Amino acid sequence: MIRVGLIGCGAIGSVVARELSEGAVDGVELTAVLDPVVDHPLRVQERDSLLRRSDVVVEAAGHGALREHGAAIREAGADLLVVSIGALADEGLDARLRRAEGGRLFLCTGAIGGFDILRAAMLCGPLEQAAITSTKPAAALRRPWMDEAVQDALARGDEPVTVFDGPAREACALFPESANVTATLSLATVGFDRVRVKMVGDQGAVRVRHVVSASGAAGAYELSFENAASPDNPRTSAVTAYSVLRALTDMQQRPVSFL
């Protein structure tokens, strides 16, 4: 039985906690939850208590939590499954996590996929370019730092509004709750400084849409994903929590799997 500790019991973590408690993944047991706000029955008050009860720790609490706990989890010998991949746009944090010795480091693919073919294309080519356009409900992309004209356009909802067009590293910093898919694509392909990102707010969008394009010596690729938003947080796709469950299932090393 694999003992799983969970950091964060919000829109993603609460679903993971519920599903694991109901036996959604054979051979995996939820044993501890570290969250400063949510009063879960398995709640612990500090990281050391979490680690004593965990073989694998799932980080589902955002960039700050990964900075605070990530390296220490690996150094304590527990495996770490990262949900807040956008935090790895910080080169210093990425280096600390990779240098830490002890437990293994896993990255949750979250709300998009297709990385098997893109990574294969990188080996063949490599890829010359990769880009992603993410379209979300307008309210999910409003930020205080935006120009007043952009905020007004998002509020009116007359037409889709491009609120960002630039490199992935900058997108991850400006939209930490929305850019994990961007970070995942960057790590799988040409890197944070070469992946091009567009963030689009659409008042009429009822689902979160991601369109990935890439090209290189191996060919040209276009992948699209349209996910229902989390009912608890419109900035998060509902499927992300189930991507965590799928990752935990894969970590069980089933005798038959797709590699």
Side-chain angles (χ1 to χ4, degrees), residues 144-213:
W145 49 260
M146 290 178 175
D147 291 343
E148 185 175 344
V150 173
Q151 297 214 42
D152 288 345
L154 288 170
R156 288 196 310 272
D158 299 333
E159 58 185 3
V161 180
T162 298
V163 299
F164 177 82
D165 186 351
R169 193 178 303 280
E170 186 177 350
C172 290
L174 293 175
F175 301 93
E177 308 93 339
S178 301
N180 286 333
V181 293
T182 293
T184 307
L185 176 65
S186 300
L187 290 167
T189 59
V190 296
F192 285 98
D193 297 312
R194 292 181 56 200
V195 168
R196 191 77 180 181
V197 179
K198 282 188 180 182
M199 303 289 284
V200 179
D202 185 354
Q203 194 85 310
V206 295
R207 293 182 175 177
V208 180
R209 180 171 175 80
H210 304 288
V211 178
V212 173
S213 63

Side-chain angles (χ1 to χ4, degrees), residues 118 126-132 189-190 194-196 213-216 220-221:
L118 295 181
L127 291 173
E128 296 166 359
Q129 67 84 29
I132 181 169
T189 59
V190 296
R194 292 181 56 200
V195 168
R196 191 77 180 181
S213 63
S215 61
Y221 307 91

Side-chain angles (χ1 to χ4, degrees), residues 41-65:
L42 295 173
R43 182 182 177 187
V44 296
Q45 300 295 327
E46 55 186 21
R47 185 174 65 216
D48 287 347
S49 297
L50 179 85
L51 290 170
R52 284 195 296 270
R53 304 180 189 190
S54 307
D55 304 308
V56 178
V57 174
V58 176
E59 172 282 310
H63 295 196

Side-chain angles (χ1 to χ4, degrees), residues 59-102:
E59 172 282 310
H63 295 196
L66 185 60
R67 291 188 186 96
E68 181 179 357
H69 301 294
I73 289 168
R74 293 197 65 201
E75 289 165 354
D79 292 339
L80 173 63
L81 176 60
V82 175
V83 176
S84 303
I85 297 179
L88 301 182
D90 179 337
E91 293 177 302
L93 175 60
D94 183 57
R96 288 198 302 276
L97 285 179
R98 294 179 187 276
R99 284 198 307 264
E101 295 183 358

